[in-house]
Amino acid sequence: MSKGRLIIFSAPSGCGKGTMLAEILKDERFGVSVSATTRAPRTGETEGVNYYYLSEEEFQRRVDAGEFLEHAVYCEHQYGTLNSEVDRKLAAGVNVILEIEVQGAADVMKKRPDAITVFILPPSVEELRRRLHKRGTEPEEVIEKRIAQAEYEMGFAGDYKYNIVNDALEDAVSDFFAIIRAEELRTDINN
Ligand code: 5GP
């Protein structure tokens, strides 16, 4: 069986990353790497499915033991990709998606230059603002903070091999599969 491909998948909040991933994961050739984090589980989240929830001490112990492919701080919490999680799934022939923020992504790009790197963009910052308002879950100042964070993250979009604008979900998902197909057909890395 051939090994799976490593895929970095980054997007600012409000870009529809979760919905896109849910569609992609209906295809059994794809799986996600479950990350470790020190943040508390949100309602509806499950240990080992959404994240491995670790204490600060346990997270640090694993950093020291070299267990992470990458790790980064985001909104005052630690997040990291476990080597064991990625290697096990790649060996099983699964295309492994890392749903990670831009700093961790930059580390993985250095360590694994063969990774397929995809950044999801909103159609515009105005549209992002409209979507976050429509969701109606956050107060105005939190929305503005998220937009500022999104603009910061969008500054890294050019470091990724592929950018997808998520305007219509169906088109964005089909763009993703087109990228994967093109990567499978490359002569320079597949022969
Ligand atoms: P959330 O707390 O909303 O689940 O995730 C916050 C941010 O952390 C998101 O941008 C998500 O992509 C990122 N993230 C989740 N897991 C990891 C990880 O293992 N490493 C890095 N670098 N970022 C992660």
Side-chain angles (χ1 to χ4, degrees), residues 9-13 17 33-37 39-40 42 45 50-51 68 70-75 77-82 98-105 146 153:
F9 194 82
S10 301
S13 84
K17 179 174 56 173
S33 158
V34 179
S35 295
T37 184
R39 84 152 164 75
R42 295 191 188 120
E45 289 186 346
N50 302 94
Y51 285 104
F68 287 107
E70 62 74 34
H71 60 96
V73 175
Y74 184 90
C75 291
H77 292 293
Q78 302 266 12
Y79 292 85
T81 305
L82 293 158
L98 307 184
E99 193 218 316
I100 60 179
E101 53 67 64
V102 295
Q103 299 299 335
R146 290 210 172 193
E153 290 175 24

Side-chain angles (χ1 to χ4, degrees), residues 77 95 132 136 167 187:
H77 292 293
N95 293 316
L132 289 171
D167 194 350
T187 55

Side-chain angles (χ1 to χ4, degrees), residues 1 8 30 46 71 101 106 116 138 144 155 168 174 184:
M1 188 197 300
I8 301 179
F30 296 86
T46 310
H71 60 96
E101 53 67 64
I116 302 169
E138 282 101 1
E144 286 310 316
S174 123
E184 285 169 354

